[in-house]
Amino acid sequence: ARTTMPVQLWLSSAQRYTRKPTALFENFWGCQEDHPARLHDEAAMRAQMRRYVYRHAAWGRCMQTWWYAYTSAPYLLTYNGNWFTPAYDLTTLRYSAAGFPVEKAKIDRFEALFLTSEIAPSRLLMLQPVDTMLAQGTRPAAYDEWLAWHALLFPRNLLYEMLPDAWFANGVASFDIADVVILPAATHLAAAVTTRLVDFARSGGTLIAAGPPGLYDD
């Protein structure tokens, strides 16, 4: 659950550069942005689901989600996939299966807007240190730090772009797209990435480098 939305931001950033569509097949995890505080609040969860679907539509993503109609799975006694306490289970069909076309109708009203709109890229860039992440393997300091930054930024509605560092080394992307660059625990950096980061900082950009960056060459 904690990785769903960070990965969606990462995919969306890559999608804008590659001009290729992405698809999502999931089991409702990403829409639980208020979990667990409002897990049993039906109105909040329904609004959250719509917001989640709207966001993916604005990102230009093809999406398929699972909508639970009813199941007798034992875990629903403590964790209900329909976002209701066990007291509501007898009326699950009323809220879930019958509720789906109502929610879909609300989304359909915005379809034309979504199909003709593009999301404005953020000027906040999270650099994905690919070589570092490969080198760290099962001790993923850079990965954990990315998730920690996401937990700080996303609840404050501070969306960010995330692109691989190699794209800046080979010229696919330029740091001109950003005002602020966050570099999470990148112990392995190609020389070209380091050079371009230094140029970015010297030209007035803000660089936040957590951990000792560039201890090892590529």
Side-chain angles (χ1 to χ4, degrees), residues 104-175:
K104 183 178 184 300
K106 293 177 181 178
I107 293 171
D108 286 345
R109 289 199 290 269
F110 290 91
E111 182 179 30
L113 174 64
F114 288 142
L115 291 177
T116 58
S117 301
E118 289 189 10
I119 191 170
S122 172
R123 299 285 298 177
L124 173 60
L125 171 68
M126 185 88 65
L127 196 62
Q128 181 193 10
V130 177
D131 290 339
T132 290
M133 295 176 78
L134 291 173
Q136 289 175 351
T138 58
R139 301 176 63 86
Y143 177 73
D144 288 341
E145 198 165 276
W146 164 28
L147 297 183
W149 274 107
H150 178 89
L152 174 68
L153 298 170
F154 190 77
R156 293 163 176 79
N157 202 33
L158 295 174
L159 300 184
Y160 57 90
E161 305 300 316
M162 187 168 191
L163 298 173
D165 54 355
W167 288 15
F168 296 88
N170 59 26
V172 172
S174 168
F175 288 116

Side-chain angles (χ1 to χ4, degrees), residues 33-218:
E33 296 169 18
D34 293 327
H35 172 73
R38 305 183 73 183
L39 184 63
H40 302 300
D41 186 335
E42 177 193 350
M45 292 296 103
R46 279 179 177 260
Q48 199 156 268
M49 174 61 88
R50 282 197 298 274
R51 178 176 63 185
Y52 184 64
V53 174
Y54 293 165
R55 182 183 288 126
H56 283 288
W59 279 335
R61 180 160 302 137
C62 301
M63 183 175 67
Q64 177 178 358
T65 59
W66 298 3
W67 188 286
Y68 280 8
Y70 182 77
T71 175
S72 59
Y75 72 86
L76 287 183
L77 296 176
T78 55
Y79 186 90
N80 194 319
N82 293 295
W83 301 302
F84 305 109
T85 63
Y88 289 129
D89 279 349
L90 291 178
T91 55
T92 298
L93 286 172
R94 177 167 75 90
Y95 288 114
S96 184
F100 178 73
V102 177
E103 298 299 313
K104 183 178 184 300
K106 293 177 181 178
I107 293 171
D108 286 345
R109 289 199 290 269
F110 290 91
E111 182 179 30
L113 174 64
F114 288 142
L115 291 177
T116 58
S117 301
E118 289 189 10
I119 191 170
S122 172
R123 299 285 298 177
L124 173 60
L125 171 68
M126 185 88 65
L127 196 62
Q128 181 193 10
V130 177
D131 290 339
T132 290
M133 295 176 78
L134 291 173
Q136 289 175 351
T138 58
R139 301 176 63 86
Y143 177 73
D144 288 341
E145 198 165 276
W146 164 28
L147 297 183
W149 274 107
H150 178 89
L152 174 68
L153 298 170
F154 190 77
R156 293 163 176 79
N157 202 33
L158 295 174
L159 300 184
Y160 57 90
E161 305 300 316
M162 187 168 191
L163 298 173
D165 54 355
W167 288 15
F168 296 88
N170 59 26
V172 172
S174 168
F175 288 116
D176 292 340
I177 66 172
D179 297 323
V180 178
V181 174
I182 298 174
L183 180 62
T187 53
H188 295 68
L189 281 176
V193 177
T194 301
T195 299
R196 287 172 171 78
L197 278 173
V198 171
D199 291 343
F200 168 77
R202 286 177 173 168
S203 64
T206 299
L207 174 62
I208 303 174
L215 291 179
Y216 310 102
D217 62 23
D218 49 340

